[in-house]
């Protein structure tokens, strides 16, 4: 690697705008873990070959998968700096928010997610609902922001307000896709948990009752029973809580489903302007 890098640097000194050399050298640095050097060269690549930040975005995702969260954020932010595509920009902001959450940086996470939501709202004037790729971004952004309030800043009222705002906007959509129904059920679970944490047990149980009628999923049934048990437990009704917990473990849990305490909201992994 060192010999290859030396040869590439020598070639680049005589031809500083040679795109294949820049890309190869940036990749060498990247796989050696020299992320600052890699990023510096990928910025030069982006200046010569505008691609709306997709190369930087792709490398940021590689770093994220390898749990190199700090350099991943730097690559995402570099992609954000050069992208003029609103969809890529807003989705990149959501990924940055997720990583800030993982790094226990709640204020930074909230700022990134708020900006993503604001950009999507700005692209849809007069209250027009997001469609297509934007619709896949804004609701997970709301949910994650509520999770930050609930799990990290412990501002349950702010979390509840965020979830409720998301539910109002999502419920207004005319589409009734499987993904939207799953997202709405996840929102309802989060809202019920906030009611429980705020001591509003009657409101929590009323919402759980409506969910039991509305959603037929076995996974949802297990989570409803578990959360209902939590409500009884918080009230001191331990026998009733035990009944609900025993009911919850009777249901097979789908391990791939979104969890109430999940810190990562699934999104399509590569943004496009389609």
């Amino acid at each position: 690697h060192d010999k290859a890098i030396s040869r590439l640097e020598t070639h680049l000194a005589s031809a500083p705008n040679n795109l294949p050399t820049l890309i190869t050298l940036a990749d060498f640095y990247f796989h050696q873990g020299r992320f600052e050097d890699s990023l510096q060269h990928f910025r030069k690549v982006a200046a010569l070959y505008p691609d709306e930040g997709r190369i930087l975005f792709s490398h940021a995702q590689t770093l994220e998968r390898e749990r190199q969260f700090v350099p991943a954020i730097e690559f995402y932010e570099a992609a954000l700096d050069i992208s003029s595509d609103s969809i890529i920009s807003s989705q990149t902001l959501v990924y940055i928010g997720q990583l800030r959450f993982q790094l226990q940086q709640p204020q930074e996470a909230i700022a990134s997610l708020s900006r993503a939501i604001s950009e999507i709202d700005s692209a849809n004037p007069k209250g027009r609902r997001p469609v297509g790729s934007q619709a896949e971004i804004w609701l997970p952004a709301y949910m994650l922001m509520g999770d930050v309030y609930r799990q990290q800043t412990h501002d349950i009222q702010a979390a509840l307000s965020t979830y409720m705002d998301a539910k109002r906007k999502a419920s207004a959509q005319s589409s009734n896709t499987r993904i939207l129904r799953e997202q709405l059920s996840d929102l309802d679970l989060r809202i019920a948990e906030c009611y429980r944490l705020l001591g509003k047990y009657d409101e929590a149980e009323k919402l759980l009752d409506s969910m039991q009628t509305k959603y037929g999923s076995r996974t949802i049934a297990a989570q409803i029973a578990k959360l209902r048990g939590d409500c009884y437990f918080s009230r001191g009704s331990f026998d009733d809580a035990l009944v609900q917990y025993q009911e919850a473990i009777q249901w097979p849990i789908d391990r791939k489903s979104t969890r109430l305490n999940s810190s990562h909201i699934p999104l399509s992994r590569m943004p496009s302007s389609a």
Side-chain angles (χ1 to χ4, degrees):
H1 281 177
D2 290 340
K3 289 181 180 179
I5 287 173
S6 179
R7 291 285 295 273
L8 289 165
E9 286 176 337
T10 300
H11 182 66
L12 199 61
S14 60
N17 292 332
N18 185 280
L19 190 60
T21 305
L22 277 169
I23 292 174
T24 305
L25 188 54
D27 273 328
F28 265 111
Y29 283 139
F30 186 86
H31 292 294
Q32 277 198 322
R34 295 170 61 178
F35 301 125
E36 289 186 11
D37 291 329
S38 176
L39 183 55
Q40 178 184 350
H41 284 76
F42 273 123
R43 286 183 185 275
K44 293 177 182 177
V45 170
L48 295 170
Y49 180 70
D51 70 339
E52 295 294 345
R54 285 182 173 84
I55 291 177
L56 289 163
F57 189 98
S58 175
H59 282 75
Q61 290 186 318
T62 298
L63 290 167
E64 182 180 348
R65 286 192 294 270
E66 294 176 355
R67 302 190 68 79
Q68 297 271 3
F69 293 157
V70 173
I73 289 173
E74 292 173 354
F75 272 74
Y76 278 132
E77 288 177 339
L80 195 61
D81 288 342
I82 64 175
S83 177
S84 59
D85 187 298
S86 62
I87 294 175
I88 292 177
S89 175
S90 54
Q91 188 162 11
T92 301
L93 285 164
V94 174
Y95 280 121
I96 292 172
Q98 288 177 328
L99 294 181
R100 295 291 189 190
F101 188 19
Q102 295 280 358
L103 292 169
Q104 298 287 313
Q105 298 172 347
Q107 298 305 325
E108 292 85 349
I110 290 168
S112 185
L113 295 165
S114 296
R115 182 179 163 192
I117 293 168
S118 178
E119 288 195 4
I120 294 171
D121 287 342
S122 297
N124 294 276
K126 298 181 180 179
R128 184 163 60 90
R129 294 187 297 275
V131 295
S133 297
Q134 287 182 328
E136 297 174 6
I137 299 167
W138 70 270
L139 188 53
Y142 264 112
M143 292 170 65
L144 183 57
M145 187 160 63
D147 290 352
V148 175
Y149 282 125
R150 179 169 56 91
Q151 296 180 34
Q152 292 191 348
T153 70
H154 306 293
D155 187 343
I156 307 304
Q157 189 58 57
L160 179 59
S161 297
T162 303
Y163 295 143
M164 292 297 288
D165 193 21
K167 185 177 178 178
R168 279 191 296 270
K169 291 185 177 181
S171 299
Q173 293 194 54
S174 57
S175 59
N176 188 28
T177 64
R178 177 186 59 81
I179 292 175
L180 180 59
R181 288 195 299 274
E182 289 178 355
Q183 289 175 330
L184 286 172
S185 68
D186 289 334
L187 270 173
D188 279 340
L189 286 168
R190 285 164 162 80
I191 291 168
E193 171 67 359
C194 286
Y195 283 148
R196 183 189 73 82
L197 292 170
L198 291 169
K200 299 180 178 181
Y201 304 119
D202 291 340
E203 292 181 57
E205 291 191 33
K206 182 178 179 181
L207 178 57
L208 292 172
D209 286 341
S210 70
M211 289 182 67
Q212 207 153 21
T213 303
K214 190 186 306 181
Y215 307 114
S217 163
R218 291 183 173 185
T219 299
I220 294 298
Q223 294 183 75
I224 288 172
K226 193 271 180 188
L227 191 47
R228 200 188 296 276
D230 291 343
C231 288
Y232 283 130
F233 191 91
S234 297
R235 279 178 155 170
S237 302
F238 303 125
D239 289 341
D240 291 330
L242 180 58
V243 170
Q244 292 299 317
Y245 292 145
Q246 288 174 331
E247 181 179 335
I249 62 176
Q250 300 305 312
W251 295 100
I253 300 292
D254 178 3
R255 298 298 178 187
K256 294 181 181 180
S257 68
T258 301
R259 283 289 170 267
L260 181 61
N261 293 318
S262 173
S263 62
H264 189 89
I265 305 297
L267 293 166
S268 56
R269 292 308 302 173
M270 187 65 192
S272 69
S273 54

